Amino acid sequence: MSSSYYYYYSFNFSVIICILLVVLSIFSHSNAQLNSNFYENNCPNVSDIVRCVIQEALQSDARIGASLLRIHFHDCFVNGCDASILLDNNAKTKIVSEKDAAPNANSLRGFNVVDNIKIAVENCCPGVVSCADILALAAESSVSLAGGPSWNVLLGRRDSRRANQGGANISIPSPLEDINKITTKFSAVGLTITDLVALSGAHTFGRAQCRLFRERLYNFNGTGKPDPTLNTNYLAKLMKICPKKGSNTALANLDLTTPNKFDNNYFANLQNKKGLLGSDQKLFSKNSASEITNIIKTFSRDQSVFFQSFVESMINMGNISPLTGTNGEIRLDCKRVN
């Protein structure tokens, strides 16, 4: 072969290597932008500020921690963890709020506490900390203040300038869906079966409205009878809380044993047929995949294993498509774009 061929081959190979190195450096830089020390120099006390506001809110609202964790969850499943869930309707900026999407309307709560956190943070570090990072920090504080694990939250997210109500309607897992559909939604954002079970363990605290499980009590799958997977004593208790013709917004504890504590009792409840939401109980039933039931048994036996997996899964969820670098913005008011 001619020397020109070798030169051409060598040149093109070198170009390919250079391109690969550039791509790798971009990805590594993107990942490196999320780190637990992101605000070390310009807002070093941000975690303490967030925690303080939540502690104050818990004095009058025992369920606020679970509510704040849920906001973070619902945010990350729609276009990534970008605080788009916090944007209000705004005709001028053409924002159609995710708050009004079916999984969120008359359900998500705690936005006032997020606003209070933002005000407190802005007073100390104006224009520095994103609303997306506030949601991530609030989730960690909410869990740890309820007796759950603590972890170093990766930070450096920026805020979206748009909302995606349509995406919220189809992407957020629903308690009325079967496990296959929920698993598909987790997989779509890069989360695993272990992430699904671990994050479902967040239902160890908080409340749910009767409308989300009433059919299990009175008309399961159109049979006119209760869900046969419900423990009969638990069924009787739930019927008192949620009468057949009662309020749709009446509340029941997600965990009947320790409703305000973050622990592993949720998984014991599932094994005793005392899961409140249909999607929860379906994780542990005769039709459940053995992989899922084995994880539930492990988490039920060893709380430390659950806590470790929960932390890993929260970090995984927090890494879903964050805006970093010059993408997005740092909102001054979490409810509206700058």
Side-chain angles (χ1 to χ4, degrees):
M1 295 183 183
S2 67
S3 60
S4 62
Y5 172 84
Y6 287 111
Y7 173 78
Y8 176 80
Y9 177 82
S10 176
F11 173 78
N12 279 276
F13 184 73
S14 298
V15 170
I16 292 170
I17 292 297
C18 287
I19 292 172
L20 287 173
L21 288 173
V22 169
V23 171
L24 286 172
S25 69
I26 290 172
F27 277 108
S28 63
H29 180 62
S30 175
N31 290 335
Q33 285 181 314
L34 283 190
N35 67 82
S36 59
N37 298 317
F38 190 83
Y39 298 112
E40 187 174 32
N41 296 323
N42 50 9
C43 197
N45 297 322
V46 61
S47 295
D48 294 333
I49 297 170
V50 172
R51 189 179 184 88
C52 184
V53 175
I54 295 175
Q55 282 179 313
E56 184 178 351
L58 283 167
Q59 300 305 309
S60 58
D61 185 356
R63 54 191 283 237
I64 193 61
S67 298
L68 293 171
L69 176 59
R70 189 162 175 250
I71 293 176
H72 183 46
F73 180 92
H74 281 220
D75 180 48
C76 290
F77 268 75
V78 183
N79 292 357
C81 308
D82 61 0
S84 58
I85 186 70
L86 302 178
L87 290 170
D88 284 345
N89 289 311
N90 191 310
K92 185 177 179 180
T93 54
K94 299 181 180 179
I95 298 294
V96 181
S97 179
E98 293 172 21
K99 294 177 183 178
D100 296 327
N104 302 329
N106 302 313
S107 178
L108 276 191
R109 60 189 297 276
F111 295 111
N112 61 316
V113 177
V114 176
D115 289 338
N116 290 341
I117 294 171
K118 180 63 172 175
I119 291 169
V121 171
E122 285 295 310
N123 285 339
C124 295
C125 320
V128 171
V129 181
S130 69
C131 299
D133 278 346
I134 283 174
L135 290 182
L137 288 165
E140 188 277 334
S141 289
S142 296
V143 170
S144 61
L145 285 169
S150 182
W151 64 95
N152 291 325
V153 179
L154 300 183
L155 303 166
R157 301 168 191 82
R158 289 168 65 84
D159 300 323
S160 173
R161 294 189 180 98
R162 62 190 181 92
N164 185 0
Q165 188 182 111
N169 279 321
I170 63 175
S171 299
I172 297 171
S174 165
L176 305 178
E177 293 174 334
D178 62 42
I179 296 305
N180 288 335
K181 192 163 187 179
I182 292 174
T183 301
T184 298
K185 289 185 176 182
F186 270 72
S187 180
V189 292
L191 298 178
T192 67
I193 290 293
T194 300
D195 293 324
L196 165 60
V197 180
L199 293 173
S200 295
H203 287 170
T204 187
F205 70 159
R207 319 284 187 267
Q209 296 179 10
C210 289
R211 65 185 177 88
L212 296 176
F213 59 88
R214 179 175 273 111
E215 285 193 1
R216 294 190 70 204
L217 311 185
Y218 302 102
N219 189 29
F220 181 66
N221 288 346
T223 62
K225 299 178 180 180
D227 183 345
T229 66
L230 267 172
N231 176 284
T232 53
N233 292 331
Y234 186 44
L235 171 64
K237 291 180 180 178
L238 292 177
M239 284 179 163
K240 290 181 180 179
I241 298 170
C242 300
K244 194 171 185 178
K245 300 293 184 180
S247 169
N248 279 334
T249 57
L251 298 171
N253 294 324
L254 284 164
D255 177 355
L256 75 162
T257 50
T258 52
N260 298 322
K261 185 178 180 182
F262 196 98
D263 53 28
N264 66 336
N265 281 344
Y266 165 84
F267 299 103
N269 293 339
L270 297 186
Q271 293 177 85
N272 293 322
K273 298 183 178 181
K274 295 179 180 179
L276 180 64
L277 302 177
S279 58
D280 286 334
Q281 194 57 61
K282 287 172 187 174
L283 288 172
F284 195 89
S285 68
K286 63 180 181 180
N287 297 321
S288 300
S290 59
E291 180 184 4
I292 293 178
T293 57
N294 287 338
I295 295 171
I296 289 172
K297 290 176 182 177
T298 299
F299 288 169
S300 179
R301 283 194 304 266
D302 193 332
Q303 181 167 274
S304 64
V305 174
F306 164 51
F307 279 7
Q308 181 180 350
S309 291
F310 183 80
V311 167
E312 292 172 356
S313 295
M314 284 297 294
I315 292 171
N316 291 340
M317 186 180 76
N319 282 337
I320 298 174
S321 304
L323 297 174
T324 58
T326 58
N327 294 315
E329 64 182 13
I330 305 297
R331 281 186 224 141
L332 302 180
D333 180 342
C334 291
K335 300 185 295 297
R336 57 182 62 89
V337 298
N338 293 341

